[in-house]
Amino acid sequence: MSTSRQIHLVRRPKGTPEPADFAVVEVETPDAGEGEVQVAGVLMSVDPYMRPRLDADQALGEPLLGGGIGRIVQSRNPKFVEGDLVRHGAGFRERFVSDGRGLAVLRPDPDLPLTVHLHALGGTGLTAYGGLLQVGALADGEQVFVSTAGGAVGSTAAQIAKLKGCYVVGSTGSDEKARWLRDDVRLDAVINYKQEPIGEALARATPKGIDVYFENVGGAHLDAALPRMNVRGRIPVCGMISVYNGGGEPVRGLFNLIYRRVRMEGFVASDFTHLNAAFQSDMTGWLKSGQVKYQETVLDGFERAPEGLIGLFEGRNTGKMLIRLTDDGGDAL
Ligand code: NAP
């Protein structure tokens, strides 16, 4: 028996979450029993989808739902060896005991940082890949718009579209992210939506219209994209972060879907498990060749998870938001 910490929701947020909505709680963590393992967290993924859950689905006084990478520190289960790294969806817990269900042994690529397995080579990357290629049915050379193009999913989607020979416009909310997208990722046009009205800027940046709008924001971004859509365009709806805290701008232009025969379709990452082998192969190659670049914001310290989640809604992350629990990547656990 030892003690470890968990992040609990203690109050349902009104609007943007506040630190006082969360608490770091110390709990007793039992040793692994027969058939069980004890896992020590190494990295946790902080994701926008967590916010809508805080309104109802996330229980108060329970660890926040979330995923990450941990290391097996005790094993009484023959499927796991002490020292193995595992992917888990066990929530924001420093240590936990599991019967092994929901754990997947991770053999990280020795030539890539461990962190990429939680973004470009993980669910984030698969979301971009499946959303763009399957739901968006992207064809080579098309006209593409990606919102939150400086973020984890958006930057990956934008670069996959560039690899397919497309003309790609990205939107973001900071000059620094815009510079990275323009100079390093080499998008064809970049809009800082905090500096200029998104509708006017998008009209200027898309002289040939939009065939695929990879939707991450909703509200004014969606309203700006709708009148720019080409006939038979597609809007794969990955997320709508501008409305997750409640409110958000109204969308008036949905009628554009009709005569332009635009298809708008939502999806979740788990829809694409059948693409995972092709995705892993493609993305590993793109990362190693530098054809897909990434950025990440890694906060050190388990207790900083609420700060990380709140920061997503203030654009404080550059690329994937992660929490690092150990300063050695878990090697010494
Ligand atoms: P991210 O883009 O790395 O981080 C969130 C970013 O959203 C912030 O950095 C900020 O960037 C932007 N943002 C925040 N509030 C905004 C607002 N009101 N208007 C416009 N932009 C705003 O996060 P991510 O994990 O890659 O997620 C991006 C989107 O994909 C989210 O909508 C998320 O829900 C969705 N998603 C969906 C799935 C799925 O399975 N369907 C899976 C993963 C993610 P700026 O500085 O550019 O404003």
Side-chain angles (χ1 to χ4, degrees), residues 31-273:
D31 291 332
E34 187 57 38
E36 292 181 333
V37 292
Q38 191 186 87
V39 180
V42 173
L43 290 164
M44 297 191 310
S45 175
V46 185
D47 296 277
Y49 76 82
M50 299 173 73
R51 171 62 189 90
R53 288 185 54 86
L54 304 182
D55 291 334
D57 296 346
Q58 170 71 49
L60 292 169
E62 293 286 335
L64 282 192
L65 174 108
I69 292 173
R71 193 177 289 281
I72 304 284
V73 289
Q74 295 174 2
S75 181
R76 297 185 64 192
N77 179 320
K79 291 186 187 146
F80 302 93
V81 176
E82 284 175 21
D84 275 350
L85 287 170
V86 287
R87 288 182 193 276
H88 71 82
F92 280 12
R93 302 192 279 171
E94 239 176 351
R95 280 188 184 234
F96 58 92
V97 169
S98 162
D99 63 7
R101 276 179 291 183
L103 299 183
V105 174
L106 173 67
R107 305 273 178 234
D109 191 304
D111 299 324
L112 292 170
L114 181 62
T115 49
V116 300
H117 296 273
L118 279 184
H119 51 89
L121 263 183
T124 300
L126 184 60
T127 299
Y129 187 89
L132 195 61
L133 301 182
Q134 179 175 303
V135 181
L138 185 74
D140 291 359
E142 286 194 307
Q143 308 292 308
V144 177
F145 171 45
V146 179
S147 48
T148 69
V153 174
S155 62
T156 313
Q159 291 178 87
I160 294 172
K162 282 302 294 174
L163 283 165
K164 301 286 176 193
C166 296
Y167 172 89
V168 183
V169 179
S171 69
T172 187
S174 88
D175 287 340
E176 194 194 332
K177 294 180 199 180
R179 188 211 55 73
W180 181 70
L181 290 169
R182 204 177 287 118
D183 298 346
D184 296 356
V185 175
R186 307 197 77 78
L187 296 193
D188 297 288
V190 181
I191 298 165
N192 180 341
Y193 69 92
K194 291 185 180 163
Q195 297 292 339
E196 50 188 337
I198 182 70
E200 290 165 31
L202 189 62
R204 271 199 311 277
T206 55
K208 296 184 181 170
I210 300 171
D211 299 307
V212 175
Y213 170 36
F214 192 94
E215 163 71 304
N216 282 320
V217 172
H221 272 71
L222 177 56
D223 228 21
L226 283 163
R228 302 302 302 157
M229 295 304 297
N230 292 331
V231 171
R232 302 273 175 221
R234 288 84 65 201
I235 305 180
V237 182
C238 179
M240 291 198 175
I241 195 164
S242 72
V243 300
Y244 292 172
N245 287 318
E249 307 98 343
V251 178
R252 303 185 198 282
L254 282 171
F255 65 91
N256 285 289
L257 301 177
I258 305 164
Y259 288 107
R260 292 163 204 245
R261 288 84 152 177
V262 173
R263 175 168 58 80
M264 191 169 171
E265 182 181 338
F267 58 87
V268 293
S270 56
D271 295 344
F272 308 128
T273 46

Side-chain angles (χ1 to χ4, degrees), residues 16-41:
T16 305
E18 298 173 9
D21 298 330
F22 308 93
V24 182
V25 177
E26 199 156 285
V27 296
E28 292 198 332
T29 309
D31 291 332
E34 187 57 38
E36 292 181 333
V37 292
Q38 191 186 87
V39 180

